[in-house]
Amino acid sequence: MASPTAAPSNPLEETDGDVTYIRTDPELPPVAVIDRSPITTRHKIIFGIIALLGAVAWAIIAFLRGETVNAVWFVIAAICTYIIGYRFYARLVEMNIVQPRDDEATPAEVFENDTDYMPTDRRVLFGHHFAAIAGAGPLVGPVLAMQMGYLPGAIWIIIGAVFAGCVQDYLVLWVSTRRRGRSLGQMVRDEIGAVGGASAIVAVFVIMVILLAVLALVVVNALAESPWGVFSIAMTIPIAIFMGLYLRFLRPGRVSEVTLIGVVLLLLAVVAGNWVAGTAWGQDWFGLSKVALSWCVVIYGFAASVLPVWFLLAPRDYLSTFMKVGTITLLALGILIARPVVQAPAVSAFAHSGTGPVFAGALFPFLFITIACGALSGFHSLISSGTTPKMLEKQSQMRLIGYGGMLTESFVGIMALVTAAILNQHLYFVLNAPEGKTGGAAESAAAYVNTLPLGGNPITAGQVKQAAAAVGETSIVSRTGGAPTLAIGMSDVLHRAFGGPALQAFWYHFAIMFEALFILTTVDAGTRVARFMLSDALGNLGGPLRKFRNPSWRPGAWACSLIVVALWGSVLLMGVTDPLGGINTLFPLFGIANQLLAAIALTLVSVVVVKKGYLKWLWIPGVPLLWDLTVTLTASWLKIFSADPALGYWSLHRQCQQALDAGKTRCSTAKNVDQVHDVIRNTFIQGTLSIVFAVLVVIVVVTGVIMALRVIRGGGIPLTEDEPVPSRLFAPSGLIPTANEREVQRQWDAQAKSPAKSVGTGAR
Amino acid sequence: MGRAGQIARQVRWYWGTLMGDTHYQRYVEYRRRVHPGEPVPTEREYWKIRHAATENHPGAGCC
């Protein structure tokens, strides 16, 4: 399946029909297999059937009205589109831009040191890459976007992934692999220049802080006043420490063994949580308010950043990886077994009016901002540069890892969309409307959602209470942030597929624990990464600050951790105490930050494409870049300049300031003077952050465009690609090796001493 | 060996390699290949080296 382009006059080339074998050493078997055979009739028929099935599924999702749509059609539409996208569009990108050369060694092979640079089996690397990019984003975004109905979300998650998200991940991986796995910020500096580079590095740091704050806010909203949830997630800390000690002192290296023990303990903790929540001391200790819980998360983030990694961070990462892969597989099976029916409308009344309670604004641009990670995620560019390229065996595997990894993430987004779409829509808004609107009680919440233009039967307070009791909670009103909604949808699917009604509460808390677990894994690892970014930046200022460059200098580590935690912690506390509901005001900022990071990554890729001379193919990264900039800068513009106080940070800021000056004690949903002050301060911070993001990204894009124009005129900074080194190892390109690749692999296995061995090559 | 046994072995291999069970074995092979004749650290020492490396080069997880 691979189509690396061969050097034209290579004496070590051997062609057999449509297949070319390239050697870099006459003594060794080939290191690259280039298969140019045309598509077979059998494949044509298979892909034709897949395309047809996908088209039928899309038609059912999009045009079936007045009847119920089964959720399985979403899964079919998604998978068929992914297969066609991977086989044809990703191939187009591969043949015209990436042009992989398997006779050249990857950074992993050249710099192999068995710590960060190590050639890793493609299937294993796919798992690593997926575990690194997948998180709460694709789960939460589609749930919140359900406010607009299922159709716009489904279209953007699937089509956006194929043409924008996967392309970004794939091409950033390509650019970084040709530059020893350099990070995004470094590459922007090398290719676009010092100004763009510095802006990119600052933008990445600020965006990281917002990411951490909003993710922590999602966890806090899911766990506040829920002793069961807090107990089970708190237990993950002693369980992780036990695992760390076990690996350090009892049985080093037995990672999957200790992870299985950890997962069993975790399930016991979820079961025990029900019992703990029923006791008086359990209520006392674990029934924490949002503010108290925020402080716990802040302290936890700080501790994880300064404690040794083997003690807490590494074992939590093992648990999180296991739970991610395991639960997502379980959910996919659950949807196929339970085959639930969608209750949401295809397009809701809020899509046009923009007056929905979950987040403000109309479909364009705010749907795209809200879905973020499931379709296009700027944060992935931080993984695709830096970590993954240092483990890649062969350039032709980038399509599987970069493009294929993001397709899987998009599929996670589709499953999240399904779990939100199968909920009763009145219940959905009871969960997701901010407390200022629902009033916090079942009666007032039912009364409020019955005034919304939803259609269907109105909901009663009794039904709201019953829904809470079914999942073992006292209240589900205004559990904003997406995680509780997803958990209710998941418990609905999973109890129907596995275990019946008796297990519904268990599955709800299992789902909450699963989301909180990997959000906290992002929070702890992210705090650490941000700490390193900060100390690096301080160290580069020179003078007495040079000491910060040494990561083992404890005072520096503590000071930088404290600054990072203080930054995201204050945004988190601002969110939990916000009278408007933190998710409503902060989630758009998170989405904008993420999409602006994607704009930086796509700008870098576009500049490299221009420098390589592939002007004809500039549209491949260029169109997603233009779309992303249009969406994100429009959203930023509205957030900064809109005269509607529900939308614009500054107009609400002015409105509340004027109300206060006029001696009023109410403004928007703020009900007393303190709350009015909160709104004035919060909108100031949020408004300032929106301006900072937009300005930084505009600088990067403008410097990128200037650089591209200079290059087209024959000037500009030259490419900084590494000199190619001949490869001395072989590995298949796609997930399943072709017959020719199997034959070459047999030759390598027969070779008495292989010059290089990849992870797990022995077991093939 | 039946087909089921083969699949079970492959799952075991995949999971072990993804999580880290086989990393020490790979390290031993790497040391023998790149630094032949030199003593190879024990499994305990190897994981200390690995963790010290992650300590100073943290990898970001995503959203």
Side-chain angles (χ1 to χ4, degrees):
Chain A
M1 290 282 283
S3 69
T5 30
S9 59
N10 192 334
L12 298 166
E13 234 172 73
E14 175 193 327
T15 304
D16 176 14
D18 293 316
V19 184
T20 306
Y21 300 90
I22 302 175
R23 288 165 206 266
T24 49
D25 182 337
E27 305 293 311
L28 290 174
V31 294
V33 178
I34 302 166
D35 195 339
R36 288 201 188 80
S37 21
I39 186 166
T40 60
T41 315
R42 196 170 135 258
H43 275 142
K44 272 186 194 163
I45 294 170
I46 293 174
F47 285 111
I49 292 171
I50 291 172
L52 202 66
L53 185 64
V56 169
W58 272 114
I60 288 176
I61 296 173
F63 301 121
L64 207 63
R65 292 286 185 279
E67 284 176 65
T68 48
V69 180
N70 197 291
V72 174
W73 290 111
F74 286 84
V75 175
I76 295 174
I79 291 179
C80 292
T81 313
Y82 296 155
I83 293 175
I84 299 296
Y86 184 77
R87 174 62 182 78
F88 297 99
Y89 191 61
R91 278 277 274 182
L92 180 87
V93 179
E94 179 176 63
M95 287 191 306
N96 296 301
I97 294 186
V98 175
Q99 305 182 9
R101 291 277 303 262
D102 281 349
D103 53 329
E104 291 176 6
T106 59
E109 187 185 344
V110 179
F111 303 103
E112 185 179 4
N113 60 7
D114 212 77
T115 47
D116 48 351
Y117 289 97
M118 44 189 160
T120 303
D121 181 276
R122 66 202 183 284
R123 294 157 294 188
V124 175
L125 182 56
F126 181 88
H128 276 297
H129 182 76
F130 175 69
I133 64 171
L139 293 174
V140 169
V143 170
L144 299 178
M146 189 50 68
Q147 165 166 271
M148 307 278 184
Y150 63 74
L151 190 57
I155 294 176
W156 175 236
I157 292 172
I158 297 173
I159 303 299
V162 168
F163 290 104
C166 295
V167 171
Q168 178 212 253
D169 289 20
Y170 184 20
L171 293 183
V172 170
L173 182 58
W174 162 65
V175 174
S176 183
T177 300
R178 298 261 166 113
R179 287 161 184 75
R180 317 177 176 204
R182 283 210 179 86
S183 72
L184 183 71
Q186 284 173 312
M187 292 191 296
V188 173
R189 196 178 49 205
D190 294 346
E191 297 294 340
I192 298 181
V195 177
S199 309
I201 289 168
V202 176
V204 169
F205 181 76
V206 184
I207 286 167
M208 200 86 181
V209 167
I210 282 291
L211 157 83
L212 294 173
V214 174
L215 287 181
L217 181 60
V218 170
V219 173
V220 167
N221 278 358
L223 294 178
E225 315 294 353
S226 166
W228 185 345
V230 174
F231 173 78
S232 46
I233 198 69
M235 288 310 287
T236 61
I237 297 171
I239 291 171
I241 293 174
F242 161 76
M243 290 167 64
L245 294 169
Y246 186 96
L247 282 176
R248 186 86 165 181
F249 300 109
L250 286 174
R251 287 165 68 78
R254 301 294 177 276
V255 184
S256 45
E257 172 185 303
V258 79
T259 306
L260 280 178
I261 299 176
V263 168
V264 170
L265 291 174
L266 208 56
L267 292 178
L268 287 178
V270 176
V271 175
N274 186 18
W275 170 73
V276 171
T279 63
W281 60 268
Q283 292 282 347
D284 271 6
W285 288 18
F286 297 107
L288 300 175
S289 73
K290 283 186 182 178
V291 175
L293 208 53
S294 303
W295 281 106
C296 293
V297 176
V298 166
I299 292 166
Y300 168 75
F302 179 76
S305 173
V306 293
L307 283 173
V309 280
W310 65 266
F311 189 66
L312 188 59
L313 220 62
R316 275 192 66 106
D317 207 36
Y318 297 141
L319 273 183
S320 171
T321 304
F322 186 97
M323 293 296 291
K324 240 176 238 183
V325 177
T327 310
I328 286 167
T329 314
L330 198 67
L331 181 59
L333 286 176
I335 290 176
L336 291 179
I337 295 173
R339 294 191 296 279
V341 166
V342 166
Q343 301 216 22
V347 183
S348 80
F350 300 123
H352 306 292
S353 69
T355 53
V358 183
F359 57 92
L363 192 145
F364 182 86
F366 289 101
L367 176 90
F368 308 97
I369 296 299
T370 308
I371 288 182
C373 301
L376 167 64
S377 177
F379 295 112
H380 295 184
S381 62
L382 303 180
I383 316 283
S384 292
S385 63
T387 320
T388 302
K390 294 178 182 167
M391 297 167 80
L392 193 74
E393 273 182 323
K394 281 283 156 196
Q395 293 187 4
S396 59
Q397 295 170 352
M398 289 191 281
R399 182 162 68 116
L400 172 68
I401 314 274
Y403 200 96
M406 179 62 201
L407 283 180
T408 322
E409 166 111 331
S410 166
F411 186 60
V412 173
I414 280 296
M415 287 196 293
L417 181 112
V418 165
T419 56
I422 59 170
L423 288 183
N424 174 304
Q425 286 307 288
H426 286 82
L427 197 61
Y428 171 84
F429 284 99
V430 165
L431 276 152
N432 287 298
E435 204 168 326
K437 297 199 164 140
T438 59
E443 290 75 14
S444 53
Y448 167 71
V449 295
N450 288 337
T451 65
L452 296 175
L454 297 182
N457 296 327
I459 198 166
T460 63
Q463 287 169 317
V464 175
K465 286 180 184 156
Q466 200 190 335
V471 295
E473 287 289 308
T474 48
S475 166
I476 52 162
V477 176
S478 292
R479 292 261 161 189
T480 57
T485 312
L486 181 76
I488 287 191
M490 273 176 75
S491 72
D492 195 53
V493 169
L494 291 176
H495 91 268
R496 277 198 253 168
F498 315 100
L503 282 188
Q504 194 175 359
F506 169 80
W507 284 123
Y508 173 81
H509 285 94
F510 174 84
I512 289 282
M513 189 273 299
F514 144 81
E515 292 170 82
L517 177 70
F518 65 61
I519 290 184
L520 288 178
T521 310
T522 307
V523 168
D524 56 30
T527 305
R528 224 184 156 83
V529 169
R531 173 198 129 189
F532 275 76
M533 285 181 192
L534 184 64
S535 58
D536 228 38
L538 289 176
N540 284 338
L541 291 178
L545 292 175
R546 202 170 293 130
K547 258 187 157 171
F548 276 101
R549 268 195 197 156
N550 175 9
S552 354
W553 184 51
R554 297 317 293 169
W558 281 68
C560 289
S561 300
L562 209 60
I563 296 172
V564 168
V565 169
L567 286 172
W568 66 255
S570 52
V571 178
L572 168 63
L573 281 165
M574 178 182 101
V576 295
T577 54
D578 195 308
L580 305 169
I583 288 294
N584 190 307
T585 48
L586 280 176
F587 203 83
L589 211 52
F590 166 79
I592 289 174
N594 186 347
Q595 300 297 289
L596 285 176
L597 193 51
I600 296 180
L602 287 167
T603 303
L604 168 74
V605 169
S606 302
V607 169
V608 173
V609 166
V610 170
K611 287 189 180 182
K612 296 280 285 184
Y614 308 149
L615 261 183
K616 194 181 150 199
W617 302 103
L618 180 60
W619 60 271
I620 289 177
V623 171
L625 172 62
L626 278 181
W627 168 254
D628 182 46
L629 279 175
T630 312
V631 165
T632 321
L633 292 179
T634 310
S636 298
W637 181 270
L638 290 172
K639 281 288 168 195
I640 297 167
F641 296 109
S642 171
D644 176 5
L647 208 53
Y649 290 129
W650 293 107
S651 63
L652 182 59
H653 178 79
R654 280 190 301 272
Q655 191 191 51
C656 287
Q657 188 68 56
Q658 280 159 8
L660 196 68
D661 294 343
K664 291 183 194 154
T665 56
R666 283 164 167 268
C667 160
S668 177
T669 45
K671 304 244 167 10
N672 58 47
V673 177
D674 286 343
Q675 290 193 344
V676 176
H677 276 291
D678 282 350
V679 172
I680 292 172
R681 184 199 59 217
N682 294 358
T683 46
F684 174 80
I685 296 170
Q686 290 151 356
T688 311
L689 282 171
S690 319
I691 296 173
V692 170
F693 286 163
V695 168
L696 286 171
V697 172
V698 167
I699 293 175
V700 176
V701 174
V702 168
T703 49
V705 170
I706 294 172
M707 179 56 66
L709 290 175
R710 278 172 58 197
V711 170
I712 292 170
R713 292 205 197 104
I717 308 176
L719 271 184
T720 57
E721 276 185 15
D722 295 335
E723 277 300 306
V725 174
S727 173
R728 292 176 67 82
L729 62 81
F730 173 75
S733 309
L735 195 59
I736 301 159
T738 62
N740 302 320
E741 287 174 336
R742 275 181 219 274
E743 173 50 33
V744 172
Q745 187 66 55
R746 261 192 293 276
Q747 294 174 25
W748 279 94
D749 292 344
Q751 196 82 5
K753 257 203 233 151
S754 175
K757 245 188 174 185
S758 297
V759 181
T761 27
R764 268 203 279 258
Chain B
M1 232 349 149
R3 182 110 181 99
Q6 202 186 340
I7 291 172
R9 238 192 6 251
Q10 280 184 347
V11 169
R12 212 186 137 88
W13 162 80
Y14 184 80
W15 196 250
T17 316
L18 183 69
M19 298 303 285
D21 297 15
T22 55
H23 288 192
Y24 177 65
Q25 193 197 335
R26 177 193 65 199
Y27 177 68
V28 172
E29 282 162 14
Y30 162 78
R31 290 285 302 199
R32 293 216 178 109
R33 181 160 43 82
V34 180
H35 307 282
E38 286 177 36
V40 179
T42 65
E43 185 150 20
R44 206 171 284 263
E45 288 161 353
Y46 165 70
W47 281 98
K48 283 193 181 167
I49 299 169
R50 266 291 288 275
H51 283 134
T54 1
E55 193 92 19
N56 295 330
H57 303 278
C62 194
C63 37

